[in-house]
Each structure stands twice: as structure tokens, then as C-alpha cells.
Amino acid sequence: MFSDLINQKEEKKDGEMAQKEQFRVMTGDHLGAKAIAGAPAAGGGVVVEVREKKGPLRAAIPTMPFPLAVICLFLNTFIPGLGTFISAFTVLCGARSELISERGVCCVFWLNVAAALIQILTAVIMVGWIMSIFWGMDMVILAISDGYRDQDLPQDV
């Protein structure tokens, strides 16, 4: 199971080892040092690259400025779905999302409105309320990671 996560390439037919992909990791005192996937890291562990696959609703969450993301989290905590509904309009105002390039701004807007409606309608049985709080936390996490990306700082989120 864990062997699927390790990003290694197969050996070439003539017996040589194929070159392994390189990516940036935080190791010891060399932040952003290059490491080879599957190779031992400075701490003695193995470097593993993990990419999270998101569904369409979750990939439609817009990346907003940090203060607005915190306001949406606050609203989602006390009135389930309201922060998500407001975040849908930020897509129309230019907020980025992972799905905009694939599906367009209008579709991403309606996906966020649908997520807000799901949160509102299922809040009665607590599922929507919990989903709404997690949605707000995802908005804040996206805002924080986007801030680090803009400043070219290593991120530990």
C-alpha cells in the first residue's frame, strides 16, 4: 500500500537505473533542498510525494484573501452555508479556484452555490453544520497557502 505512494521509475532494459524525479522538500537546516523520491532523507526517513485528489465541489472552493476567508469561516460556524454562499460571489469577483480553467467561472460559481445549499439543507441533522465548518477551514487553509506561495516561502500547512 505504501509502495504506491513512493514515486520511483522503473529500471531501463539495459540495466541502468532510470533518473528519479526531483522536488523540493524541507530537510533539516537546508530549507527547500532538492531530494530524490524514494531516497533516504536527512532525518533517516524516505521522501514521499503525496497529491490530494479533490472532488469537484471541494476543488471549486475559491482562494480568497485571508481576512475574507476568516469571515467566511466565522459565518459558516454560526450560520451554516452563509460563508460558502458569500464565497461563491468571490469567484465572480476574480477569486481563483482549481476548477476555473477546466469548467469556467460560471460553473464554479454554481458549484459553490450548490455546496452552500447542501450545507443549509443538511444543517438540521448536523451534517451540514460540520461540513460548513470544514469548508470554512479549507478556505482559510487555501488563503494561508496562497499567501506563502506569493511570498516564495516554504510552506508547512
Side-chain angles (χ1 to χ4, degrees), residues 3 6 17 36 44 67 75 81 85 90 94 103 111 136-137 140 154-155:
S3 63
I6 298 175
M17 290 292 293
I36 299 175
L75 290 172
F85 188 72
T90 65
R103 299 201 180 179
L111 281 170
M137 290 189 316
V140 172
Q155 49 183 327

Side-chain angles (χ1 to χ4, degrees), residues 74-94:
F74 180 79
L75 290 172
N76 272 349
T77 303
F78 295 104
I79 306 169
L82 182 60
T84 306
F85 188 72
I86 290 172
S87 75
F89 288 96
T90 65
V91 173
L92 297 177
C93 295

